[in-house]
């Protein structure tokens, strides 16, 4: 990745910068106001404007980084682009575990970024040669991996560095570029640095290999020789990882790994990815779908629960597999909602108790919200051109009470339907 040359960071690497960072906490820059106050305090103490800008910027990034790196963020050197692309440590630990299980002893980490994956692999006793093309990011990775003597950071291009000593490759191609307004995501796999074609060339050498890509990678870009694993972490689909050779599981073509707090679940398939839109549902002939000529606004038409598959399950094209696991019925062949008699016990799906079903008509919905004295409303939708935030304002107005509910809006055939779930009517005034 390319760091932003205007990003204040250089002075934070100096001895004075490191000493000042050691004395301060990210909490002191947790908000814009706190960061401004700290800037004024440090300037009054006699520190240069360049040093103060770099140190305060590092503290702001460290505060943001806690969600990815936990307590490690307190001592890390960071860049904005590097933080946006960096692997969460809990996910990096799984990458490292896959390499260890493949018998890997020395990994070439190409495009190491800030060093999260290098640290995770080194923690398992794997030697790492971490290569980073951007000079500033390589310097940050050197600081971040300093506690691990089995990591060597090299500033250079992945395509040019000698990796002959390694017996495996991990790669995280740069998928963002810095602009005057921040960072911009690259979507074309051949615009990555290094490009996906380089990844495939390396895989042909037969080494165990893992490649971290964005979760939106086109399915047609995934090589037939790879296992593709979509990873979701606490509600966000964070990556699609391609595994090759000994790092690939023999009978797995597609997988959805979902991590939610201390729960972990995975769904796999040995079949190739169905040719579908990422938001579509390919149920297949063996999974039942509700008949569209039934009374779709009668709650008795449905089972007790509505299941919303995890995003990684949808991205991996595994909704049909999930339906079979949950013994669930599809609402519509092209909508990723299911209905079943029991709630999901894994993070592969979120289950909502169905309390109400009605046609999607705003006037009727406003009356329903008012009559049930609903004041807190969560709105989810799939298959309808609706903006949940705007609809919530329309339905709640100035608020009607202390009741709560989740409304799930969807399309079944040509009918637009609303499910009311987890309804707790408000108390009478």
């Amino acid at each position: 990745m390319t760091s932003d040359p205007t990003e204040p960071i250089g002075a934070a690497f100096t001895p004075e910068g490191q000493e000042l960072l050691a004395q301060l906490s990210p909490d002191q820059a947790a908000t814009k106001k706190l960061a401004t106050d700290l800037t004024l305090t440090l300037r009054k103490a006699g520190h240069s404007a360049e040093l103060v800008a770099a140190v305060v910027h590092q503290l702001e990034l460290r505060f943001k980084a806690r969600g990815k790196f936990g307590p490690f963020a307190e001592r890390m050197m960071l860049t904005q682009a590097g933080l946006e692309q960096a692997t969460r440590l809990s996910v990096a630990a799984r990458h490292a575990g896959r390499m260890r299980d493949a018998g890997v002893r020395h990994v070439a980490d190409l495009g190491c970024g800030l060093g999260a994956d290098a640290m995770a692999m080194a923690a398992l006793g794997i030697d790492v040669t971490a290569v980073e093309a951007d000079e500033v990011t390589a310097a940050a990775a050197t600081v971040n991996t300093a506690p691990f003597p089995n990591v060597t950071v090299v500033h250079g291009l992945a395509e040019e560095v000698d990796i002959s000593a390694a017996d495996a490759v991990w790669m995280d191609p740069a998928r963002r570029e810095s602009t005057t307004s921040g960072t911009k995501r690259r979507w074309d796999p051949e615009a990555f640095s290094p490009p996906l074609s380089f990844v495939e060339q390396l895989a042909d050498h037969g080494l165990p290999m893992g490649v971290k890509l964005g979760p939106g990678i086109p399915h047609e870009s995934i090589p037939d020789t790879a296992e593709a694993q979509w990873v979701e972490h606490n509600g966000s689909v964070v990556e699609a990882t391609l595994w090759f050779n000994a790092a690939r599981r023999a009978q797995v073509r597609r997988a959805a790994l979902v991590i939610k707090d201390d729960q972990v679940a995975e769904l796999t398939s040995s079949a190739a990815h169905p040719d579908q839109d990422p938001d579509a549902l390919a149920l297949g002939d063996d999974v039942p779908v509700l008949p569209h000529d039934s009374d779709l606004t009668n709650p008795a038409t449905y089972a007790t629960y509505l299941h919303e598959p995890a995003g990684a399950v949808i991205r991996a094209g595994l909704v049909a597999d999930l339906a079979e696991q949950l013994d669930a019925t599809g609402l519509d062949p092209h909508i990723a909602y299911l209905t079943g008699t029991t709630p999901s016990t894994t993070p592969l799906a979120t289950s909502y108790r169905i309390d109400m079903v009605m046609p999607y008509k705003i006037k009727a919905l406003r009356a329903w919200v008012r009559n049930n004295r609903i004041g807190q409303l969560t709105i989810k939708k799939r298959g309808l051109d609706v903006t949940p935030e705007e609809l919530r304002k329309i339905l709640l107005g100035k608020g009607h009470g202390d009741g709560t509910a989740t409304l799930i809006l969807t399309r079944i055939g040509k009918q637009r339907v609303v499910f009311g779930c987890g309804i707790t009517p408000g108390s009478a005034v």
Side-chain angles (χ1 to χ4, degrees), residues 94-230:
R94 294 188 171 273
H95 299 159
R98 178 81 74 114
M99 289 295 189
R100 177 199 58 199
D101 294 345
V104 169
R105 299 182 303 277
H106 186 162
V107 170
D109 181 358
L110 306 182
C112 70
L114 298 174
D117 283 293
M119 290 189 289
M121 292 182 196
L124 293 186
I126 300 173
D127 293 338
V128 182
T129 299
V131 181
E132 175 54 50
D134 182 71
E135 184 176 12
V136 173
T137 308
T142 301
V143 173
N144 298 338
T145 60
F148 300 94
N150 51 337
V151 177
T152 301
V153 177
V154 178
H155 172 223
L157 295 176
E159 300 93 323
E160 299 176 359
V161 173
D162 180 10
I163 60 170
S164 58
D167 60 356
V169 174
W170 172 257
M171 189 180 300
D172 186 357
R175 301 179 301 280
R176 288 183 176 273
E177 58 183 324
S178 296
T179 67
T180 54
S181 58
T183 63
K184 183 175 67 175
R185 190 184 299 276
R186 297 170 176 151
W187 296 104
D188 180 3
E190 286 306 295
F192 298 164
S193 181
L196 189 58
S197 56
F198 176 72
V199 171
E200 295 184 65
Q201 292 171 18
L202 274 183
D204 288 342
H205 293 169
L207 292 178
M209 184 171 176
V211 183
K212 174 187 169 185
L213 299 172
I217 181 171
H219 299 126
E220 61 271 16
S221 297
I222 298 172
D224 292 337
T225 54
E227 170 198 333
Q229 182 188 53
W230 279 263

Side-chain angles (χ1 to χ4, degrees), residues 13-326:
F13 284 105
T14 65
E16 186 181 2
Q18 291 293 298
E19 181 180 356
L20 198 54
L21 280 168
Q23 298 170 4
L24 299 169
S25 165
D27 290 321
Q28 293 174 268
T31 66
K32 287 296 182 184
K33 183 179 186 308
L34 287 173
T36 300
D37 292 344
L38 179 60
T39 297
L40 293 174
T41 299
L42 294 176
R43 291 289 286 125
K44 288 180 181 178
H47 299 292
S48 70
E50 181 184 13
L51 177 65
V52 170
V55 166
V56 173
H57 181 61
Q58 280 301 301
L59 293 173
E60 290 177 306
L61 291 178
R62 286 178 176 183
F63 184 81
K64 294 177 183 177
R66 286 174 174 172
K68 284 192 172 184
F69 302 131
F72 286 93
E74 306 298 307
R75 63 164 185 80
M76 293 180 71
M77 295 297 291
L78 305 165
T79 67
Q80 182 66 43
L83 179 57
E84 289 175 354
Q85 186 166 317
T87 306
R88 291 160 173 78
L89 282 186
S90 59
V91 177
R94 294 188 171 273
H95 299 159
R98 178 81 74 114
M99 289 295 189
R100 177 199 58 199
D101 294 345
V104 169
R105 299 182 303 277
H106 186 162
V107 170
D109 181 358
L110 306 182
C112 70
L114 298 174
D117 283 293
M119 290 189 289
M121 292 182 196
L124 293 186
I126 300 173
D127 293 338
V128 182
T129 299
V131 181
E132 175 54 50
D134 182 71
E135 184 176 12
V136 173
T137 308
T142 301
V143 173
N144 298 338
T145 60
F148 300 94
N150 51 337
V151 177
T152 301
V153 177
V154 178
H155 172 223
L157 295 176
E159 300 93 323
E160 299 176 359
V161 173
D162 180 10
I163 60 170
S164 58
D167 60 356
V169 174
W170 172 257
M171 189 180 300
D172 186 357
R175 301 179 301 280
R176 288 183 176 273
E177 58 183 324
S178 296
T179 67
T180 54
S181 58
T183 63
K184 183 175 67 175
R185 190 184 299 276
R186 297 170 176 151
W187 296 104
D188 180 3
E190 286 306 295
F192 298 164
S193 181
L196 189 58
S197 56
F198 176 72
V199 171
E200 295 184 65
Q201 292 171 18
L202 274 183
D204 288 342
H205 293 169
L207 292 178
M209 184 171 176
V211 183
K212 174 187 169 185
L213 299 172
I217 181 171
H219 299 126
E220 61 271 16
S221 297
I222 298 172
D224 292 337
T225 54
E227 170 198 333
Q229 182 188 53
W230 279 263
V231 181
E232 180 171 331
H233 183 272
N234 286 340
S236 298
V237 186
V238 295
E239 66 182 59
T241 314
L242 305 187
W243 297 102
F244 296 86
N245 304 320
R248 173 188 176 180
R249 292 172 290 186
Q251 301 303 316
V252 178
R253 291 288 301 277
R254 292 174 287 130
L257 176 67
V258 183
I259 305 167
K260 186 176 182 181
D261 299 325
D262 59 350
Q263 283 189 299
V264 180
E266 188 177 32
L267 195 60
T268 66
S269 173
S270 60
H273 197 293
D275 185 17
Q276 62 177 51
D277 182 274
D279 289 331
L281 170 62
L283 283 175
D285 297 334
D286 298 330
V287 180
V289 179
L290 287 176
H292 292 172
D293 57 357
S294 56
D295 184 0
L296 297 178
T297 58
N298 182 356
T301 303
Y302 307 89
T304 313
Y305 293 93
L306 187 71
H307 306 302
E308 179 184 31
V313 173
I314 297 172
R315 287 283 187 180
L318 292 170
V319 179
D321 303 75
L322 177 66
E324 294 184 44
Q325 179 173 306
L326 297 176

Side-chain angles (χ1 to χ4, degrees), residues 327-350:
D327 191 22
T329 299
L331 300 186
D332 183 281
H334 304 291
I335 301 294
Y337 285 134
L338 306 169
T339 181
T341 58
T342 57
S344 170
T345 58
T346 79
L348 294 170
T350 301

